Amino acid sequence: MSFANAWTIARRDFRSYFTTPIAYIVLALFLAIMGYMFFNMLAYFNEQAMNYQTYNMGHSMSLSEGVIRPLYGNMNVILLFFSPAITMRLFAEERKNQTIQLLMTSPVSLTDIVFGKFLSATLFVAVMIGATLVYPITLMIFGQPDVGTLVSSILGTFLLTCCLLTTGILFSAMTENQIVAVFLTVCVNFLLWIISWSAYSAGPVWSDVLMHLSLINHFMKFSQGAIETADLVYYFSFIFFGLFLTHRVLDSFRWR
Amino acid sequence: MIQVTGLSKHYGPRTAIDDLNFEVKKGEIVGFLGPNGAGKSTTMKIITGFMPASEGDVTVNGFDVFDRPIEVKRAIGYLPETPPIYMEMTVRDFLDFAARLNQVAKSDVKRQIDWAIEKTNLGDVANRIIGNLSKGYKQRVGLAQALVHNPPVLILDEPTVGLDPKQIIEIRELIKGLAGEHTIVLSSHILPEVTATCGRIIVINRGRIVAEDTIDGLTMRLKKGLLLQMTVAAANPSGIAAIKAVPGVTGVSATGPKLVIELAPNQGELRDRVAKAAVESGMGILEFGAEKVSLEEIFLQLTTEENAKEAV
């Protein structure tokens, strides 16, 4: 794999988010929803904190538990629904417009192409998450939130979203139809999200397996301020496996 | 430069191309001629490494397309049937992307873009969004994309489709100008296209090569016997009999004052003797000459012959 080649592709795709309406719509709606959530969480936290003070309930409330954890927990759910909009066109549009021929007949490897696409999507998500940094910055100006929890929450959110993007890229490679790609992506990501629900009724071994497969379960530790190797390994292998499948899917099309 | 051996491609039970063998030498312009669906695009897609062959080998510039795809792709500039252009980009940005994708050295990128823009006459629209351009301009952007890294081999799938006559002439001139240092394979189902630009023609029909020759050679080969055409003032039976009596003449057919005289192949020059026979019988020659077989006729003859053979 050549990073320079992947970068050439990533750069073009990243720029084309901004030459089409996608970037503006996704960013504007995402920030509006997140802003609304942040405002309400803060208001609720304020009220609770005042109650605690008034009735002197013995222990104080933490910003980590009251604001940061629900904020990033919710951001993940919003990103679950927003991420397909970022990935849907990456391959589907190239195939539909036949521009994929340009990539496939250029002296770059399929790995370069897949990684370049992934890179452009992650860059865009980085911009999205980066734009929400105003909320933690606000917290830091007016309070003392736990920086460790904040950093691990942001990192966890980013890694989890990268997994969501990987699924999106895979389905974008499978179809020429962007609507189909979006629909499949949301459904499969959602299933992987709630797969742990059946852990409660499954047997002892399967329950463990299902818990480990769940996308959101691996975020729990991040939201508590702990970055654990097991979670990192899960997210990175998820991304690797998804991109690997994308590579296989694209390669198989050539043989038909 | 390009060597194709025993190339076949099957799509499930359907055979798109069947055992193709040909060679393109450095600096040559070769035309792929054939009706739509003959396998021209499939052959080109295999040469460019876009899709693998079912059987057979392709080497470009000494590299096998299957084993060393990157080297092959670097040596080729490819214009597919549908130009692979990003509608939301400007012409210049797009060519910049194409140049980087082909690993043009950073310091050369701008120069190469300017060169490609100049060659394809895109100067006026260089900073416009491709999606807003006319079909002719889009086609030329596609061509510029194939040229931008100045590859030794150009594979052009119907390069003049959608262009107006003036642009067609410009592109033909451009292609001719690129010959020599570039090896060019272009496809077309339009005959004047290949006659105007190509030195050699490969006629493909139903996935097989039905003829491969220079235009003159092809014309010669297909004439089988030469035909002469004569218009006379007054045709008379004795005159026709006199022409028929000339050794080497295999038949004369007359429709009013127009005579078509069939000659056996390789008889040398018979026109003088035919004319003499006509004059002596007092028919009065108004017009006399060899009938030219046009490429259209060759094409139809070749492709229908093939169909007839298959029908048997």
Side-chain angles (χ1 to χ4, degrees):
Chain A
M1 199 194 87
S2 139
F3 187 78
N5 292 341
W7 180 244
T8 302
I9 291 163
R11 210 176 69 126
R12 198 210 71 79
D13 273 302
F14 185 73
R15 284 170 112 193
S16 91
Y17 283 124
F18 293 92
T19 49
T20 54
I22 294 180
Y24 305 102
I25 292 174
V26 167
L27 269 172
L29 290 177
F30 177 69
L31 290 177
I33 293 173
M34 287 318 298
Y36 174 77
M37 283 181 161
F38 179 66
F39 172 78
N40 282 297
M41 278 166 200
L42 214 55
Y44 182 72
F45 178 78
N46 234 356
E47 201 186 294
Q48 292 288 97
M50 291 233 278
N51 285 347
Y52 271 62
Q53 245 173 9
T54 315
Y55 304 110
N56 198 7
M57 292 167 86
H59 61 95
S60 63
M61 282 184 67
S62 80
L63 271 176
S64 297
E65 258 173 67
V67 179
I68 295 173
R69 200 181 296 170
L71 179 70
Y72 285 97
N74 283 316
M75 191 187 284
N76 282 330
V77 179
I78 303 300
L79 284 168
L80 170 69
F81 293 102
F82 271 63
S83 62
I86 303 163
T87 53
M88 61 180 186
R89 40 175 288 285
L90 286 177
F91 282 109
E93 197 177 67
E94 297 255 11
R95 283 184 52 201
K96 190 163 189 116
N97 297 340
Q98 311 215 8
T99 43
I100 191 93
Q101 295 196 35
L102 174 63
L103 300 180
M104 298 280 237
T105 58
S106 295
V108 296
S109 69
L110 202 47
T111 317
D112 297 341
I113 299 172
V114 172
F115 188 68
K117 295 279 180 189
F118 175 69
L119 202 58
S120 74
T122 51
L123 273 178
F124 189 75
V125 161
V127 169
M128 286 170 80
I129 297 176
T132 63
L133 284 177
V134 281
Y135 312 139
I137 289 171
T138 315
L139 289 182
M140 275 152 88
I141 293 171
F142 297 104
Q144 285 95 38
D146 181 34
V147 179
T149 312
L150 206 53
V151 169
S152 73
S153 293
I154 294 171
L155 178 69
T157 304
F158 179 69
L159 287 176
L160 174 56
T161 314
C162 284
C163 294
L164 302 175
L165 294 175
T166 314
T167 322
I169 290 172
L170 175 62
F171 286 117
S172 178
M174 280 183 176
T175 173
E176 282 181 17
N177 190 319
Q178 300 191 27
I179 312 256
V180 172
V182 167
F183 194 68
L184 284 170
T185 308
V186 172
C187 289
V188 168
N189 276 339
F190 188 60
L191 274 175
L192 285 169
W193 198 283
I194 59 170
I195 202 166
S196 57
W197 287 11
S198 49
Y200 302 105
S201 54
V205 178
W206 278 107
S207 133
D208 269 5
V209 173
L210 292 173
M211 289 299 265
H212 276 294
L213 277 178
S214 168
L215 273 169
I216 192 68
N217 265 25
H218 289 274
F219 180 72
M220 295 306 171
K221 286 278 166 56
F222 281 104
S223 74
Q224 291 158 7
I227 301 171
E228 295 210 345
T229 319
D231 299 329
L232 289 177
V233 167
Y234 171 82
Y235 283 143
F236 281 116
S237 25
F238 189 106
I239 293 166
F240 177 81
F241 187 61
L243 295 181
F244 172 75
L245 281 182
T246 309
H247 183 283
R248 298 322 301 157
V249 164
L250 289 170
D251 200 35
S252 79
F253 280 124
R254 301 172 60 232
W255 293 87
R256 275 172 215 175
Chain B
M1 201 67 175
I2 304 174
Q3 178 87 46
V4 173
T5 346
L7 198 68
S8 297
K9 175 78 186 175
H10 313 290
Y11 294 107
R14 206 174 68 80
T15 301
I17 54 171
D18 188 10
D19 194 27
L20 294 192
N21 292 286
F22 64 88
E23 191 188 348
V24 183
K25 293 200 175 66
K26 192 173 176 341
E28 238 187 332
I29 310 186
V30 170
F32 268 166
L33 188 61
N36 289 324
K40 303 179 302 261
S41 294
T42 304
T43 312
M44 289 182 154
K45 280 177 183 169
I46 295 171
I47 296 175
T48 54
F50 179 66
M51 57 162 69
S54 305
E55 287 144 41
D57 294 306
V58 177
T59 55
V60 177
N61 211 0
F63 296 108
D64 186 282
V65 80
F66 194 79
D67 297 330
R68 306 288 296 275
I70 301 288
E71 282 81 358
V72 169
K73 287 170 183 176
R74 191 170 289 136
I76 291 179
Y78 174 43
L79 171 65
E81 230 172 338
T82 327
I85 45 179
Y86 294 94
M87 298 299 172
E88 77 276 6
M89 294 177 96
T90 66
V91 173
R92 192 171 277 280
D93 280 348
F94 172 64
L95 293 178
D96 180 84
F97 173 63
R100 283 166 200 270
L101 210 51
N102 282 292
Q103 288 135 26
V104 172
K106 275 211 178 74
S107 51
D108 295 340
V109 168
K110 199 185 169 297
R111 208 186 57 221
Q112 285 301 117
I113 294 171
D114 289 338
W115 176 78
I117 285 177
E118 191 212 305
K119 280 278 180 190
T120 48
N121 239 331
L122 284 166
D124 299 341
V125 297
N127 294 314
R128 283 180 56 188
I129 305 276
I130 296 174
N132 298 339
L133 299 178
S134 70
K135 194 166 189 302
Y137 271 122
K138 283 179 188 158
Q139 186 70 20
R140 283 196 270 169
V141 174
L143 196 58
Q145 161 276 127
L147 286 177
V148 75
H149 57 297
N150 202 11
V153 179
L154 281 169
I155 310 275
L156 311 172
D157 201 348
E158 313 220 337
T160 54
V161 146
L163 301 180
D164 66 37
K166 187 171 164 281
Q167 295 167 338
I168 290 180
I169 292 167
E170 281 171 18
I171 294 298
R172 277 183 196 161
E173 289 307 313
L174 165 64
I175 291 171
K176 278 192 210 161
L178 291 168
E181 53 178 316
H182 297 80
T183 308
I184 303 171
V185 177
L186 63 88
S187 78
S188 180
H189 59 275
I190 309 156
L191 300 157
E193 195 56 63
V194 283
T195 8
T197 39
C198 302
R200 194 153 61 89
I201 300 180
I202 297 174
V203 185
I204 301 188
N205 189 41
R206 297 188 165 199
R208 291 205 203 116
I209 294 180
V210 288
E212 181 184 349
D213 211 335
T214 58
I215 291 167
D216 290 340
L218 216 53
T219 317
M220 282 312 290
R221 233 173 69 188
L222 277 148
K223 273 182 186 166
K224 291 191 175 148
L226 196 67
L227 290 180
L228 297 180
Q229 222 171 20
M230 187 186 281
T231 312
V232 294
N236 58 56
S238 64
I240 292 170
I243 295 172
K244 254 185 200 160
V246 175
V249 174
T250 52
V252 181
S253 56
T255 34
K258 279 197 197 300
L259 307 181
V260 177
I261 300 143
E262 285 173 43
L263 306 181
N266 310 320
Q267 287 293 313
E269 188 51 79
L270 290 172
R271 268 179 278 189
D272 189 40
R273 288 157 73 185
V274 170
K276 205 171 160 200
V279 170
E280 279 171 359
S281 61
M283 291 197 291
I285 299 175
L286 300 177
E287 249 185 308
F288 183 42
E291 193 181 54
K292 276 259 161 75
V293 181
S294 75
L295 209 53
E296 254 91 2
E297 289 167 60
I298 298 174
F299 182 50
L300 276 176
Q301 208 172 322
L302 280 168
T303 49
T304 43
E305 245 172 41
E306 186 74 8
N307 293 353
K309 253 184 254 163
E310 262 179 40
V312 170

